[in-house]
């Protein structure tokens, strides 16, 4: 007497992994679960008619149909066969349901599918991926934050083919109330998404959004930065006294090199050549999309060698806190400055302005050397094509003088503080 297979458990069905070819798990009474290479899992039932004709039907898909329901459906199919009826499977039911739809229902379903295809959520994601190759990683992350974090939750279901100014203006105004700079960036994203639709024929050439004057007047300011010599000492004194070694190291590297916060936070050991005192930043991380070589002053090399004791991965500054980031988050640097009392006075990005201003006014450093250190893009394509000077030797000397200056100012601030005490 053949052995009757035991009913498979839900755990066995759930843990079944796809292979290179389909395979089955028997569950008794002609029911078995087919695991396809795609990962899909189908319930099938083998049957034999009273006339001896054999066949099988798909009756459901796991996990939409659980083990118990699959056995009930299998028994119902066997009963159909015993009664001489044509056994009905999943695809039979789907075809019957589709055939029973009215023309209006079919049209409504097609319209819903089209609306989803052209929904703001789908099209804005496509725009992000289209623009990603031309953006620096930090720029891409910023746009993802705006589009997916601020616009999609409100406009995600909107049809971009008919999206009008009146639909997005209230969204922008609400954003402007809480964060004016975010609203300005959101407006840029919306205009970019609409342009993406126009050039692809999703919208007509005249279907632009008119958002130029919809935001309340916002008097923007520069990123806060210490640009007076008198403020450099107290700032560096506070940074050097910060208790967190990793955050302190990130802030010091920002001060020594004037690189952008995102590049500082994501610095990799593979980019560092401490013997040559150079940091090779790949083009993929640069806003200009051009690789950048940064000279490391002696103080930076010393700090980086100290950081090697925390080396547990590829990043110079490993993640801190509970976020689980692989490397230090740029916001941790900004938060540290705020906590030290520099809110509204100096941000991490402000080290760039500090170098640009103080080194120019106090040390009379050539402006071209400073621009090369800051890796600013050339003014126009012609200048970029012909002026490729990087001033590496000059920058090496200037950045060492700059690091010495920062330490001198910190020591001077200590002396003043002691005298005042």
């Amino acid at each position: 007497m053949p052995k009757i297979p035991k009913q498979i458990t839900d755990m066995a069905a759930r843990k079944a992994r796809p292979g290179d070819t389909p395979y089955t798990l028997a569950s008794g009474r002609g029911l078995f679960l087919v695991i396809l290479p795609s990962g899909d899992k189908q319930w099938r039932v083998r049957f034999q008619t009273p006339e001896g004709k054999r066949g099988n039907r798909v009756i459901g898909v796991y996990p939409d149909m659980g083990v118990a329901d699959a056995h009930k459906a299998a028994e119902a199919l066997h009963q159909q066969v015993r009664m001489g009826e044509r056994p009905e499977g999943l695809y039979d039911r789907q075809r019957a349901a589709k055939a029973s739809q009215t023309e209006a229902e079919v049209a409504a379903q097609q319209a819903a599918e089209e609306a989803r295809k052209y929904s703001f959520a789908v099209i804005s994601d496509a725009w992000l991926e289209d623009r990603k190759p031309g953006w620096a990683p930090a720029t891409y992350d910023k746009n993802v934050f705006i589009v997916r974090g601020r616009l999609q939750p409100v406009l995600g279901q909107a049809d971009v083919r008919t999206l009008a100014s009146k639909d997005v203006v209230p969204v922008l105004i609400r954003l402007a109330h809480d964060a004016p700079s975010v609203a300005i960036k959101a407006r840029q994203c919306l205009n970019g998404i609409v342009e993406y639709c126009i050039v692809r024929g999703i919208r007509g050439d005249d279907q632009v959004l008119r958002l130029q004057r919809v935001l309340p007047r916002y008097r923007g300011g520069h990123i806060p930065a210490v640009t007076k010599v008198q403020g450099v000492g107290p700032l560096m004194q506070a940074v050097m006294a910060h208790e967190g070694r990793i955050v302190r190291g990130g802030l010091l590297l920002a001060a020594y090199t004037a690189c952008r916060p995102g590049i500082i936070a994501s610095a990799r050991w593979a980019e560092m050549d401490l013997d040559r005192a150079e940091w090779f930043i790949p083009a993929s991380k640069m806003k200009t999309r051009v690789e950048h070589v940064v000279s490391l002053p002696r103080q930076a090399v010393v700090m980086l060698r100290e950081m090697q004791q925390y080396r547990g991965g590829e990043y110079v500054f490993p993640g801190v806190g509970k976020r689980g980031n692989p490397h230090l988050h740029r916001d941790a640097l900004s938060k540290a400055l705020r906590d030290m009392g520099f809110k509204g006075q100096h941000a991490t990005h402000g080290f760039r302005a500090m170098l640009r201003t103080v080194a120019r006014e106090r040390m009379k450093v050539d402006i071209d050397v400073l621009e090369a250190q800051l890796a600013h893009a050339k003014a126009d394509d012609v200048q970029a094509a012909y002026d490729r000077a990087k001033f590496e030797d000059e920058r090496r000397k200037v950045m060492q003088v700059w690091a010495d200056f920062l330490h001198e100012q910190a020591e001077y601030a200590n002396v003043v503080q002691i005298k005042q005490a």
Side-chain angles (χ1 to χ4, degrees), residues 12-19 23 35-36 39 41:
R14 186 170 65 254
K15 289 189 173 182
R17 296 290 179 261
Y23 67 94
I35 293 84
L36 301 174
K41 301 175 183 180

Side-chain angles (χ1 to χ4, degrees), residues 145-146 150 171-187 215-216 218:
F145 168 76
I146 296 292
R150 293 292 184 268
V171 179
L172 291 176
I173 291 176
R174 284 196 296 272
L175 284 175
H177 181 268
D178 298 326
S181 60
V182 171
I184 292 172
K185 187 63 180 176
R187 180 174 61 187
L215 294 177
Y218 166 59

Side-chain angles (χ1 to χ4, degrees), residues 317-339:
F317 306 111
V320 295
K322 299 179 180 180
R323 290 188 178 186
N325 294 317
H327 59 74
L328 184 68
H329 198 282
R330 57 185 293 172
D331 289 348
L333 300 175
S334 300
K335 182 179 184 302
L337 289 169
R338 292 195 299 270
D339 291 345

Side-chain angles (χ1 to χ4, degrees), residues 357-413:
T357 305
V358 178
R360 177 62 181 156
E361 294 181 351
R362 182 83 172 187
M363 304 176 184
K364 309 303 179 186
V365 178
D366 187 275
I367 189 65
D368 289 333
V369 175
L370 290 175
E371 289 294 287
Q373 177 65 24
L374 295 171
H376 280 159
K378 303 298 183 182
D380 53 50
D381 292 339
V382 174
Q383 186 179 0
Y386 290 98
D387 182 6
R388 304 182 187 182
K390 297 183 179 179
F391 303 98
E392 291 184 4
D393 291 338
E394 294 90 337
R395 284 164 48 207
R396 183 181 298 275
K397 296 174 184 177
V398 165
M399 296 314 292
Q400 184 58 61
V401 172
W402 175 249
D404 293 340
F405 170 76
L406 295 179
H407 279 255
E408 289 170 2
Q409 293 301 308
E411 290 174 5
Y412 178 75

